[in-house]
Amino acid sequence: MLKSGNLKLVIVAFVVIISTIIFFVSKSARGSEVEMILFYNPSCHHCHAAIEFLDNKVVPKYPELKITKHNTSTRVGANYYIYYKKKLKFDGNGVPVAVFGDKYEMGFGTEDTTGKTYIQNIEEMFKNLGENNQK
């Protein structure tokens, strides 16, 4: 038989475990992940600017955003690039290319130009996710 103090500890642990399970199951059921993809090449200075912007400005502001980076100089990265190029029907072979759902942005200028476009697309993806979760 459990002592009174141990019984309380078991009950609290049980409640915490059940609450955690409910939280993660409901989160995955909502499909709450917003993801952007960045295609880059390590030798590209525009790519480095895009990565720096994402790492230093976007990640702190949108920690729940998943950013997947594909290095196009690798076989896997190049294959993903070709897949998205066909899927989204974009021309050219340049990088960086940022993919926001069914939209994309080629190149990277500055935070004030391309960076603003990245933010607008990210916010639109979150807005769309919120609208879809309300349905």
Side-chain angles (χ1 to χ4, degrees):
M1 190 82 189
L2 290 174
K3 294 183 181 177
S4 174
N6 289 341
L7 180 60
K8 288 179 185 177
L9 184 61
V10 168
I11 291 171
V12 168
F14 180 77
V15 169
V16 168
I17 290 169
I18 295 300
S19 298
T20 303
I21 290 170
I22 290 169
F23 171 78
F24 284 109
V25 168
S26 68
K27 185 174 180 178
S28 66
R30 288 191 308 260
S32 62
E33 187 170 88
V34 173
E35 178 184 18
M36 74 165 282
I37 300 168
L38 181 72
F39 293 100
Y40 73 96
N41 187 296
S43 65
C44 166
H45 72 280
H46 293 288
C47 296
H48 286 281
I51 291 169
E52 185 176 318
F53 174 73
L54 291 171
D55 290 347
N56 297 326
K57 302 292 180 167
V58 173
V59 170
K61 186 174 181 179
Y62 304 97
E64 64 279 13
L65 174 69
K66 179 180 178 186
I67 301 173
T68 302
K69 299 172 187 165
H70 291 289
N71 177 349
T72 59
S73 69
T74 67
R75 182 180 304 256
V76 172
N79 286 338
Y80 276 116
Y81 182 85
I82 291 166
Y83 169 79
Y84 276 95
K85 183 177 178 177
K86 289 177 183 175
K87 178 180 177 182
L88 300 176
K89 298 178 173 94
F90 59 84
D91 294 328
N93 293 313
V95 286
V97 174
V99 176
F100 308 92
D102 61 353
K103 295 182 178 180
Y104 66 91
E105 181 70 25
M106 295 186 82
F108 190 86
T110 67
E111 286 183 31
D112 293 330
T113 59
T114 317
K116 284 185 180 179
T117 303
Y118 278 24
I119 297 294
Q120 289 169 346
N121 283 308
I122 290 165
E123 289 180 352
E124 185 176 325
M125 287 192 304
F126 278 110
K127 179 182 172 207
N128 291 339
L129 176 68
E131 290 171 357
N132 289 337
N133 284 338
Q134 291 176 356
K135 293 178 182 177

